[in-house]
C-alpha cells in the first residue's frame, strides 16, 4: 500500500520489522520509484521482463494491440520519472519528409522500423 486509502496521497514508510526475530527500526524511509506503479503497471512490467523486453510477446499475452502495449510501457516509463519521447511526432516528421520528397518510400519505411526497434532497445 503506497497511497492513502482516505485521500490518495503517497504514504510514508516509517517503520520496518523483521518477521523472524521481531527487530524493528523506526524512521523515515524512501521508497523506490517502482512503488509508484499501480498493480496493473507492475503486472505489465513483470510480463515485459518475462519476455525479455519483447513488446510483441507482451501484446500477445495481454491480447492488446502493439500501439496499446507501447503506450502502456511509455506510461510506466513516465511514472518512473523518465522522459518519454513522443514517437508519433517522429513518425509525423518522417512522413512529412516523404511528402516533401526529401526521402523515398523505402527510406521512410526503414526509418519507421528503425525508430520502433530503437525505442524498444532504450527501455
Amino acid at each position: 500500500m503506497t497511497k492513502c486509502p482516505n485521500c490518495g496521497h503517497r504514504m510514508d514508510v516509517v517503520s520496518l520489522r523483521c518477521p523472524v526475530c521481531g527487530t524493528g527500526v523506526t524512521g523515515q524511509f524512501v521508497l523506490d520509484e517502482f512503488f509508484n506503479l499501480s498493480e496493473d503497471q507492475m503486472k505489465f512490467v513483470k510480463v515485459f521482463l518475462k519476455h525479455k523486453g519483447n513488446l510483441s510477446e507482451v501484446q500477445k499475452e495481454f491480447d492488446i494491440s502493439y500501439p496499446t502495449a507501447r503506450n502502456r510501457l511509455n506510461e510506466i516509463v513516465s511514472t518512473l520519472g523518465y522522459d518519454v519521447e513522443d514517437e508519433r511526432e517522429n513518425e509525423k516528421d518522417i512522413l512529412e519528409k516523404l511528402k516533401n520528397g526529401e526521402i523515398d518510400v523505402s527510406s521512410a519505411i526503414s526509418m519507421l522500423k528503425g525508430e520502433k526497434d530503437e525505442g524498444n532497445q532504450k527501455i
Side-chain angles (χ1 to χ4, degrees):
M1 177 184 287
T2 59
K3 293 192 178 190
C4 175
N6 185 43
C7 70
H9 283 89
R10 185 180 63 86
M11 301 275 284
D12 290 336
V13 176
V14 294
S15 69
L16 299 170
R17 187 180 68 78
C18 175
V20 176
C21 71
T23 299
V25 179
T26 303
Q28 183 120 13
F29 304 100
V30 178
L31 295 176
D32 190 89
E33 292 87 0
F34 281 96
F35 286 96
N36 294 328
L37 298 178
S38 69
E39 189 175 324
D40 286 341
Q41 288 174 322
M42 278 303 293
K43 183 177 178 183
F44 188 95
V45 168
K46 289 175 183 178
V47 171
F48 182 75
L49 293 173
K50 177 176 97 174
H51 291 294
K52 299 176 179 75
N54 186 327
L55 210 48
S56 294
E57 291 299 318
V58 173
Q59 101 174 71
K60 289 176 191 173
E61 184 160 332
F62 284 114
D63 193 27
I64 56 177
S65 70
Y66 186 89
T68 300
R70 189 177 61 217
N71 288 339
R72 287 188 187 175
L73 182 59
N74 284 342
E75 287 173 9
I76 291 167
V77 170
S78 179
T79 300
L80 292 174
Y82 300 104
D83 291 332
V84 177
E85 187 176 317
D86 187 0
E87 294 176 17
R88 288 170 291 181
E89 188 63 36
N90 289 333
E91 291 170 358
K92 285 170 84 177
D93 291 343
I94 293 168
L95 293 174
E96 190 66 31
K97 287 179 183 180
L98 179 62
K99 178 183 167 189
N100 294 336
E102 298 173 38
I103 57 173
D104 62 11
V105 173
S106 64
S107 295
I109 291 170
S110 206
M111 290 170 75
L112 290 168
K113 285 182 179 178
E115 281 190 4
K116 289 180 181 171
D117 291 341
E118 183 181 306
N120 286 339
Q121 291 172 354
K122 287 181 183 175
I123 305 289

